[in-house]
Amino acid sequence: MHIEVASHSEVGQRSHNEDDLRHGTSGAQVYAILSDGAGGHSNGAMASDIVVRTATVLLQRATVFNPAVLEAAIEDANEVLNTGQQGLPSHQRMHATVVALWIDAEVGQALWAHVGDSRLYRIRQGRAEQLTVDDSVVQHMVNAGYIKPEEAKHHPRKNQLLAAMGSDETPNVHVTKQPEPVYEGDVFLLCSDGWWDQLELEDLERTLFRADTPRQWLDDMAAIVAQCRIANQDNYTAVAVWAGNPAEVTRIGG
């Protein structure tokens, strides 16, 4: 299975970019990792860099493809991020989110994991779905039935996280229990909250329908975010992973 990957990252209206990402191949395996950092006694850019760099090295060295290896890579990244932070109060610690996608292109299978509110989406046969569930106060309120999903987007506490890398308590890594099949034409999107907050599922589908490359798809979505002209727009970052020829599958299926 041919896998094509592209990435896009913008600073938005912030003074610097605290998002980071890595993607690449190791044999028949393809990985993509994205992290959104938050400041502390150092800075969010350092936190996100540590997370993606550590997890990348571990996935590159992996000799087997299974959920335990991916979970361990994220947990080890958290331990490295916490080095030197023991005993610091929460407001002084570096934190970060993470979302990771790991594909074995030889067998056509995928694994993914996340902590925080950076997300993974999949578009299959032209239909987009969110594969991850945010570790956020607002998502918890939605799950409990306190607010409706449509109210979450504009809730004043939407950016408050219940779990993050670098916390004094080891975060629960959400990881797929077993490899999931990847079909010809499947498309994955990893993105930070600055990206997904300005986009609806329909935007992902519509821009994919007219895109010929993952780079064009990301550029079209980034243009939508920029056109929103949100005051103090957060950094917005995404990685697109195309399996086979999704544009043709989308047009035929749509």
Side-chain angles (χ1 to χ4, degrees):
M1 177 176 287
H2 175 68
I3 306 291
E4 189 172 357
V5 186
S7 58
H8 190 116
S9 187
E10 297 282 353
V11 70
Q13 298 299 316
R14 303 298 175 87
S15 61
H16 58 287
N17 197 340
E18 295 186 326
D19 292 350
D20 205 343
L21 62 93
R22 300 281 193 284
H23 56 80
T25 61
S26 179
Q29 295 169 2
V30 179
Y31 59 85
I33 305 169
L34 182 150
S35 178
D36 179 357
H41 74 283
S42 187
N43 59 65
M46 179 182 292
S48 59
D49 172 74
I50 290 172
V51 167
V52 296
R53 187 158 36 87
T54 304
T56 293
V57 169
L58 294 171
L59 291 184
Q60 288 174 333
R61 294 175 177 173
T63 57
V64 293
F65 179 81
N66 64 40
V69 173
L70 179 56
E71 183 176 16
I74 303 301
E75 289 177 342
D76 285 357
N78 182 69
E79 290 184 10
V80 174
L81 179 57
N82 270 333
T83 300
Q85 297 201 112
Q86 285 81 4
L88 289 176
S90 180
H91 69 278
Q92 292 184 350
R93 301 172 72 92
M94 292 186 293
H95 297 91
T97 67
V98 65
V99 59
L101 175 68
W102 195 22
I103 295 176
D104 188 324
E106 186 173 14
V107 298
Q109 293 182 332
L111 293 165
W112 54 85
H114 86 284
V115 175
D117 64 353
S118 290
R119 292 181 178 178
L120 176 67
Y121 294 88
R122 179 177 62 201
I123 299 88
R124 174 173 286 169
Q125 295 285 335
R127 303 299 180 187
E129 62 177 322
Q130 182 180 332
L131 297 179
T132 55
V133 179
D134 299 341
D135 287 316
S136 68
V137 171
V138 167
Q139 184 61 54
H140 181 74
M141 294 170 70
V142 171
N143 295 345
Y146 293 130
I147 63 173
K148 297 178 181 178
E150 56 268 25
E151 296 176 290
K153 192 174 184 66
H154 304 290
H155 196 280
R157 300 181 68 186
K158 67 179 182 179
N159 297 124
Q160 295 183 12
L161 298 181
L162 294 174
M165 305 284 281
S167 300
D168 49 5
E169 294 182 3
T170 302
N172 175 36
V173 179
H174 306 283
V175 62
T176 39
K177 297 184 182 303
Q178 60 186 11
E180 297 283 342
V182 178
Y183 299 116
E184 181 79 13
D186 278 355
V187 166
F188 296 91
L189 177 72
L190 303 85
C191 53
S192 62
D193 63 338
W195 188 283
W196 60 253
D197 195 38
Q198 311 306 327
L199 297 167
E200 304 292 344
L201 292 179
E202 293 78 7
D203 294 317
L204 274 60
E205 297 167 354
R206 175 171 50 82
T207 51
L208 178 62
F209 184 79
R210 65 189 184 216
D212 293 317
T213 66
R215 169 63 58 195
Q216 181 186 350
W217 185 43
L218 291 177
D219 287 346
D220 284 353
M221 286 186 287
I224 294 174
V225 177
Q227 289 166 6
C228 291
R229 300 184 182 278
I230 301 298
N232 199 32
Q233 169 66 52
D234 196 3
N235 312 141
Y236 51 105
T237 301
V239 182
V241 181
W242 285 23
N245 192 339
E248 287 301 316
V249 172
T250 299
R251 288 164 186 158
I252 295 171

